[in-house]
């Protein structure tokens, strides 16, 4: 039976990645809050739809 070490490489990599994600999320929230304070419009979103789905061509079965 193998013994798990609390600081194995996979766990350390996951923790480091989580820290990076958290830092990016904080930065995004800071930028969004600053944009709202400055009264700037919301940035445009690149939303794509599939033909026949979003235009009502495909409806769910009832």
């Amino acid at each position: 039976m193998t013994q798990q070490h609390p600081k194995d490489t996979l766990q350390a990599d996951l923790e480091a990645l989580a820290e990076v994600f958290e830092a990016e999320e904080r930065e995004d929230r800071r930028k969004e809050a600053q944009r709202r304070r400055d009264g700037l419009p919301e940035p445009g979103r690149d939303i794509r739809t599939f033909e026949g789905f979003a235009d009502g061509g495909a409806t769910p079965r009832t």
Side-chain angles (χ1 to χ4, degrees):
M1 189 176 230
T2 61
Q3 203 175 26
Q4 290 188 351
H5 300 287
K7 290 295 180 183
D8 68 346
T9 57
L10 180 59
Q11 185 65 30
D13 289 346
L14 290 174
E15 289 173 2
L17 189 58
E19 289 177 16
V20 169
F21 285 153
E22 289 171 7
E24 289 177 355
E25 188 66 27
R26 280 192 305 272
E27 181 66 18
D28 289 345
R29 285 194 308 266
R30 187 195 63 76
K31 286 180 181 178
E32 179 66 16
Q34 184 63 46
R35 182 195 60 76
R36 284 194 310 268
R37 281 193 297 272
D38 292 343
L40 298 174
E42 189 167 330
R45 306 276 190 230
D46 185 23
I47 300 174
R48 298 180 185 193
T49 60
F50 294 100
E51 176 102 15
F53 181 74
D55 64 0
T59 57
R61 293 185 217 171
T62 54

